[in-house]
Amino acid sequence: MSNGTREKWSGGIGFTLAAVGSAVGLGNMWRFSYMAAENGGAAFVILYVLLTLLVGLPVMLAELTLGRGAGRSPVQALIHYGGRAWAPLGGLFVLAGFVILAYYGVLAGWTVRYAVEAVVWGFPADAGAHFGAISEGHGAAAWHLAFMALTIFVVSGGVKNGIERVSLALMPVLGVLVVGLALYAATLDGAVDGYRYYFTTEFAAILNPDVLRDAAGQAFFSLSLGMGAILTYASYLSRERDLPREAVLIASSDFAVAFIAGLVVFPLVFALGLQEQVGASTLGALFVTLPQAFADMGGTGRVIGALFMVALAVGALTSAISLLEVVVASAIDTFAMPRVRAAWLLGGAIALLGLVAAYDIGMLDLMDKIGGNLLLVLGGFSLSIFAGWVLGPELLDEVHPDGRQRLALRLWLVMLRFVVPAILAVVLVYSAADAWSAVAARWFGEG
Ligand code: PFF
């Protein structure tokens, strides 16, 4: 089935760390806290956990199964299993990779810049003004391009020598940093107020469809689902792997980092009395509030802040790599393009698209709504239909040919057929409406 010359992970924990590296990123340490702050704190977290279990895990196992089974990139994997009619879904995945990586590179560029500046100069006293200066324009563009070049460089190194090596080296660092920062944050005066804010629930928020939409979109974004990233990584996997176990490992690591990042962010913000700024949360808030907290903390803040930004940048890099790999692997498989050329050509095109977001933060927000929310939910919905209804029971043998865990796998199929599409159909309506109103406000409302 899979072609013999295709690259493979070297075995061991390389694949797991790379997949966790894809999942853990800006989504965990920036988007999660910002979404939780915006959507009723713990209500959001509870919904997020529920959606991860009911929707995220089943879709993740579907991506793992299809990827390993076909041993090909998303477009070819869908053609392999479903025929030409399903190629457009692969196209949707590649499109999502394009859009998301374009603005993700800009956010990552801010992060790397903060990390470098923190080490060299510390954090400026007026974080708001500084953010205003660096978030848009030539500076944002330059750091974005530099970050993209690094991402392209890693991907052009290949699966084993590029992606796996970087993940093996960096993911443990990230884990240690995040846990260390949370322990430090616990010692701050005011930490308790931060926890209280994080864990206090407005229960009404659970019933709010906007919160459902954001929690579902966030689950997909954070778990790297709905655009074939996990599928692509799984296509380099060998047969022996226990996929359900991998799915649980990846999803729980991802949640752990997001949750612990909240234990860093909220105590810091409350200890420095900056909660007002988070209350009025916008996309950039954490990039202002946290640097402000670090600046106000003086010397310690500089060290803590630099470590935080380094962790964020590391997460961003391993995620960006997976976004690019979806696009690059598709070009390699479909057009027999050499890897290095595909990485520079397509990575370059994505970097150019990202300039739109680098020069206009409103576009960045819009690209996140469309790419990071709508396209992923649409991708996940379509994939669940494909896996659950088009393939159905034939999928079970792809997970465990020896008939192990049959009952659990049957339950999985039921989830893929009924629960996942039903929830995502509702979410899709709200995501589309949200994306549309953002587009309308921009092009028809403003002028
Ligand atoms: N999961 C990444 C994060 O949380 O930052 C973002 C991401 C990576 C989304 C890869 C989608 C994807 F395919």
Side-chain angles (χ1 to χ4, degrees):
M1 239 200 286
S2 51
N3 28 3
T5 56
R6 193 177 171 79
E7 275 200 88
K8 288 251 180 294
W9 304 104
S10 58
I13 57 169
F15 162 77
T16 311
L17 283 189
V20 171
S22 168
V24 171
L26 297 174
N28 303 62
M29 301 177 69
W30 153 74
R31 210 169 179 270
F32 182 79
S33 299
Y34 137 67
M35 292 264 164
E38 205 174 50
N39 287 311
F44 177 85
V45 179
I46 293 168
L47 254 186
Y48 179 81
V49 172
L50 279 176
L51 286 165
T52 298
L53 294 174
L54 293 177
V55 179
L57 271 179
V59 173
M60 168 129 2
L61 186 54
E63 286 208 21
L64 288 169
T65 307
L66 294 176
R68 184 183 66 179
R72 292 158 210 214
S73 64
V75 180
Q76 299 306 320
L78 284 160
I79 294 176
H80 170 80
Y81 277 111
R84 291 243 146 239
W86 284 90
L89 179 56
L92 179 77
F93 290 168
V94 173
L95 175 70
F98 249 85
V99 175
I100 296 175
L101 182 52
Y103 74 84
Y104 201 84
V106 177
L107 291 166
W110 298 348
T111 309
V112 176
R113 179 171 187 168
Y114 271 122
V116 171
E117 288 183 348
V119 172
V120 181
W121 297 290
F123 290 90
D126 186 346
H130 186 62
F131 179 72
I134 70 158
S135 55
E136 271 178 304
H138 297 327
W143 286 88
H144 156 70
L145 293 179
F147 176 83
M148 286 301 300
L150 183 61
T151 305
I152 293 169
F153 178 73
V154 175
V155 169
S156 57
V159 176
K160 211 181 293 179
N161 291 326
I163 303 174
E164 181 172 338
R165 242 211 239 159
V166 168
S167 310
L168 279 173
L170 293 183
M171 292 317 289
V173 175
L174 188 144
V176 170
L177 281 177
V178 175
V179 172
L181 286 165
L183 292 176
Y184 169 78
T187 66
L188 295 170
D189 289 339
V192 174
D193 293 328
Y195 296 144
R196 197 171 293 135
Y197 177 79
Y198 191 19
F199 297 125
T200 305
T201 294
E202 300 160 32
F203 269 106
I206 290 197
L207 300 174
N208 180 343
D210 291 344
V211 180
L212 175 71
R213 175 202 68 213
D214 280 354
Q218 174 62 17
F220 271 82
F221 186 85
S222 188
L223 293 166
S224 301
L225 294 177
M227 55 156 285
I230 297 294
L231 191 159
T232 305
Y233 274 12
S235 74
Y236 307 118
L237 210 48
S238 63
R239 285 266 148 207
E240 310 78 66
R241 279 299 168 117
D242 185 342
L243 297 182
R245 186 169 161 269
E246 295 292 335
V248 171
L249 256 175
I250 300 165
S252 46
S253 313
D254 184 65
F255 177 72
V257 176
F259 185 75
I260 297 172
L263 297 178
V264 179
V265 168
F266 293 110
L268 271 171
V269 167
F270 276 78
L272 279 298
L274 299 168
Q275 49 274 27
E276 299 294 297
Q277 294 189 16
V278 175
S281 189
T282 57
L283 187 125
L286 277 185
F287 283 98
V288 176
T289 315
L290 285 178
Q292 190 65 58
F294 298 137
D296 295 353
M297 284 160 68
T300 326
R302 181 163 166 189
V303 177
I304 296 295
L307 294 175
F308 184 87
M309 291 300 167
V310 168
L312 206 54
V314 163
L317 179 65
T318 51
S319 298
I321 290 169
S322 72
L323 285 160
L324 183 56
E325 180 62 19
V326 171
V327 179
V328 167
S330 299
I332 295 175
D333 279 4
T334 308
F335 307 113
M337 226 189 245
R339 171 173 283 275
V340 176
R341 188 184 310 160
W344 285 99
L345 207 69
L346 295 162
I350 293 171
L352 285 182
L353 177 63
L355 292 179
V356 174
Y359 283 98
D360 180 350
I361 200 170
M363 281 303 291
L364 194 160
D365 198 13
L366 195 61
M367 286 160 90
D368 184 43
K369 280 208 163 69
I370 294 174
N373 194 319
L374 181 60
L375 291 185
L376 295 184
V377 173
L378 182 62
F381 175 78
S382 316
L383 196 74
S384 68
I385 300 286
F386 178 69
W389 292 102
V390 178
L391 299 180
E394 126 183 32
L395 214 55
L396 305 187
D397 282 333
E398 295 281 54
V399 183
H400 290 315
D402 58 5
R404 256 181 306 148
Q405 301 178 341
R406 256 312 122 114
L407 202 64
L409 291 180
R410 283 195 187 286
L411 178 68
W412 168 54
L413 195 57
V414 171
M415 303 285 290
L416 272 184
R417 284 186 159 173
F418 301 101
V419 180
V420 175
I423 295 178
L424 290 184
V426 176
V427 172
L428 204 51
V429 172
Y430 285 98
S431 295
D434 187 46
W436 172 248
S437 63
V439 169
R442 189 172 169 94
W443 275 290
F444 312 124
E446 283 179 350

